[in-house]
Structure formats: C-alpha cells, structure tokens
C-alpha cells in the first residue's frame, strides 16, 4: 500500500469520528423538546432489535439453523435471569458443542 | 476520575472485549491477506475503529476501488452512530466538552448498547471510559495478533464465537423487556422493519439500521403519546415499579 492508503485512512477516521462526536459535544447541556428527547430515549431498545435481527440468523453462512439455535439459547438464558456474561458464554458453549458434533 | 466507576465500566465492557476477540482476529488475518502490512492494519483499527466499515474497506481495497469511494462508504456505514451519540447524550453525566469528545471516539454499536441500557439514572463519565477502553483495547490488540499468527481459531470455536456480540445484545435487551411493553414494541418493530429492508434490499446495511431504529422509535413514541402518556412518565413509572 502506498501513501494513498494513509490519506484514505485519515478520511475514514474523520468520517467515522465526526458523527460520533458532534452530538455529544454540540448538544451538550441543551434542553431538547420533550418529543425529541422521548424519541432519543427509545433509540437504545430499537437499535438492539435492529442489530440482532436479521443478522443473527446469518452468523454462519448457509446455515440458518446455527443462528436460530444461538438466538434461542441466548434468549432462553437471558429469560431465565442470566447476566450478560452468562448469556454470552452460555451461548458460545451451546454452539461450540453443536459445531463439534454436527 | 472515579476509580470505582472506571472499574465497573471495565467489567461491564468485558463482554464486548470477548465479542470483539474473534472479529478483530479475523480482521487482522483478512487485512494480511488483502496485502496490508501489520502497521497499516493496526493503524486502521487504532484510528478508524469501526468493525463493519473496516471489513468492507478490505474487500473494496482488494477490488481496487477508488479510495475516495471507500471513505464515502465508511461514512454511510457509520452515520448511524450519530443517532446513538445523540441518544447517549441524554443519559450522560454532564462533563466538559473535550472530555465527552474523547470518549465519543469509543462509541460503537456495542459500547453504546452497554452504556445506554446499563444504568438507571445518569451514566458517570468514568464508567463510560471503562467500557469504551476495554472494548477498544480488545479490538486493537486482537487485530495485531490476528495479523501476526495469520490463522483463524479452530473452526468449531470460530463458528461458536461468531455469535458472541449478538448474544450480548440479547443479554442486554431481555432484562429491559421484562414488564415493559414499550421496550418489547420498540425492539420488535425495529427488528421487523430491518428484516423487511434487508430482504427487499431496499437500503444498504448502514442506512437500514438507522432507518429501522428511527422509524420504530418515532412510531412507538406516537402510539404512547396518543395514549396520553409521554415517554418520560411511562419510563419513570416503570422504573419505579
């Protein structure tokens, strides 16, 4: 890779950092209208839904069952009251056993 | 800096560090295959720090795409973080702008969800530094290791660990869903919209996550405000229960 790689990297770094930084630095201390702040408060839960589905189904290419099994295991452990770490490690364990034997 | 909050942040961020391990390892390996030196690959993880965009840039570099287009693609893929930091700003403890500008660098899908769903009340700045630092450390270190060893984990482990970040998202979501119908609606609606956008190929991934999230957040807010309850009173009431 030549010098153009480093220019590209600089560009990538800037366009990634700016959207992360602007709201935290610019909206600082500003009171937003209640509707807007209500919508912003909803974002974390909506984004989780969008991040999980459909991507979780495709974690192993060409084998949707793998993702379905992982999602099922994760939801089950979480509903039974497991903490985030138990959900992560438990789901990995279930899928490791599955992929060892399948 | 509050040391207790910082360690609590490191602990809360550990599941991200585990989830980044296979993803960063594979990135290091693929970067090597794409012809990047260890310095170039590591610099991308250090300065850009965005999983999906970094992966895409590798395939675009291999295809010999114009660097300017790669930068524009990075912007599109990462624009969703704007929504996340705007939302996070509502929950963060007040701090100096330059301090917030520092931890802003560490906001990814994963650190955002851990921060935004973790605590009742305001999130301490030190906690945010703990979460973002351990995640960032994992990303950078395992990029380097992936490039050096140039090989994947054993196949069964690689496959199993690829679920880690999604399992973490589920582990964060489920406790908030219990006894809170609004959270269930928000997540379910965003998931359905994202699936529709994905399968109809209406939008690229970066945009479709953003559109699904925003549409769900707005629609559910409208439903709840029509019922005569503002989002605020609803959340407060349910947090008190």
């Amino acid at each position: 890779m030549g010098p153009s790689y480093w220019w590209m990297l600089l560009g990538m770094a800037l366009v990634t950092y700016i959207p992360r930084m602007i709201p935290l630095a610019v909206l600082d201390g500003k009171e937003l209208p209640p509707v807007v702040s209500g919508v912003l408060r909803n974002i974390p839960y909506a984004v989780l839904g969008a991040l999980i589905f459909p991507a979780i189904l495709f974690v192993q290419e060409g084998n949707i069952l793998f993702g379905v099994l992982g999602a099922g295991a994760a939801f089950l452990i979480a509903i039974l009251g497991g903490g985030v770490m138990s959900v992560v490690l438990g789901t990995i364990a279930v899928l490791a056993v599955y992929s060892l034997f399948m | 800096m509050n040391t207790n909050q910082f360690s609590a942040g490191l602990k809360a961020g550990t599941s991200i560090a585990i989830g980044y391990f296979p993803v960063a390892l594979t990135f290091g390996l693929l970067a090597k295959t794409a012809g990047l030196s260890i310095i170039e690959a590591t610099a991308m993880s250090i300065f850009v720090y965005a999983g999906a965009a970094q992966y895409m840039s590798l395939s675009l570099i291999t295809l010999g795409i114009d660097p300017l287009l790669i930068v524009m693609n990075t912007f599109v893929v990462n624009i969703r973080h704007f929504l996340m930091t705007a939302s996070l700003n509502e929950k963060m403890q007040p701090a100096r702008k330059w301090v917030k500008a520092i931890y802003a660098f560490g906001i990814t899908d994963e650190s955002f969800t851990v921060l935004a769903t973790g605590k009742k009340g305001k999130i301490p700045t030190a906690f945010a530094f703990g979460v973002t630092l351990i995640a960032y450390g994992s990303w950078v270190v395992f990029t380097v290791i992936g490039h050096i060893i140039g090989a994947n984990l054993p196949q069964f482990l690689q496959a199993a660990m690829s679920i880690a970040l999604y399992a973490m998202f589920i582990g964060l979501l489920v406790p908030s869903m219990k006894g809170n119908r609004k959270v269930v609606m928000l997540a379910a609606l965003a998931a359905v919209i994202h699936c529709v956008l994905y399968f109809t190929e209406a939008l690229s991934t970066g945009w479709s996550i953003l559109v699904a999230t925003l549409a769900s957040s707005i629609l559910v807010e409208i439903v709840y405000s029509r019922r005569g309850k503002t989002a605020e009173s609803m959340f407060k009431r349910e947090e008190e229960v």
Side-chain angles (χ1 to χ4, degrees), chain B residues 20-103:
Chain B
Y20 279 177
F21 161 64
V23 187
L25 204 70
T26 310
F27 174 76
L29 165 71
L30 290 179
K32 191 180 201 173
T33 320
L36 299 196
S37 71
I38 189 162
I39 303 286
E40 289 165 340
T42 311
M44 192 187 282
S45 285
I46 289 177
F47 296 113
V48 181
Y49 185 39
Q54 287 183 224
Y55 269 93
M56 281 187 200
S57 79
L58 289 184
S59 47
L60 297 177
I61 287 170
T62 317
L63 291 171
I65 304 285
D66 184 349
L68 194 63
L69 287 177
I70 301 183
V71 171
M72 283 167 61
N73 178 67
T74 306
F75 178 70
V76 169
V77 174
N78 291 330
I79 187 73
R80 66 180 185 280
H81 292 135
F82 185 85
L83 209 55
M84 297 184 198
T85 46
S87 166
L88 192 61
N89 191 51
E90 297 278 297
K91 283 200 79 177
M92 290 305 301
Q93 214 173 47
R96 286 174 188 275
K97 282 187 184 181
W98 64 268
V99 174
K100 295 174 87 177
I102 293 175
Y103 69 70

Side-chain angles (χ1 to χ4, degrees), chain B residues 105-176:
Chain B
F105 178 79
I107 301 304
T108 57
D109 296 343
E110 294 76 21
S111 58
F112 166 69
T113 51
V114 166
L115 286 171
T117 58
K119 295 193 171 249
K120 305 269 184 251
K122 294 282 178 187
I123 305 163
T125 303
F127 184 81
F129 271 100
V131 170
T132 50
L133 198 66
I134 192 167
Y136 182 58
S138 165
W139 184 253
V140 173
V141 167
F142 289 114
T143 298
V144 176
I145 294 177
H147 196 285
I148 292 174
I149 62 173
N152 263 321
L153 296 170
Q155 216 285 322
F156 83 98
L157 200 58
Q158 178 75 21
M161 282 200 75
S162 61
I163 200 83
L165 291 175
Y166 300 102
M168 181 185 83
F169 291 144
I170 292 172
L172 292 171
L173 179 60
V174 169
S176 314

Side-chain angles (χ1 to χ4, degrees), chain A residues 32-46:
Chain A
L32 296 173
V35 187
V36 177
S37 89
V39 169
L40 287 178
R41 232 174 285 222
N42 291 344
I43 301 274
Y45 308 106

Side-chain angles (χ1 to χ4, degrees), chain A residues 8-88:
Chain A
M8 183 193 76
L9 207 67
L10 178 69
M12 288 175 71
L14 286 177
V15 298
T16 305
Y17 179 59
I18 290 169
R20 282 174 175 165
M21 181 269 292
I22 298 269
L24 278 166
V26 175
L27 292 176
D28 186 44
K30 293 207 171 68
E31 276 292 311
L32 296 173
V35 187
V36 177
S37 89
V39 169
L40 287 178
R41 232 174 285 222
N42 291 344
I43 301 274
Y45 308 106
V47 88
L48 280 169
L51 286 171
I52 298 167
F53 293 104
I56 196 168
L57 304 174
F58 309 129
V59 286
Q60 197 177 55
E61 233 171 278
N63 185 3
I64 283 196
L65 184 65
F66 190 83
V68 173
L69 187 67
F75 271 107
L76 189 67
I77 299 168
I79 288 166
L80 294 176
V84 176
M85 193 57 77
S86 332
V87 175
V88 171

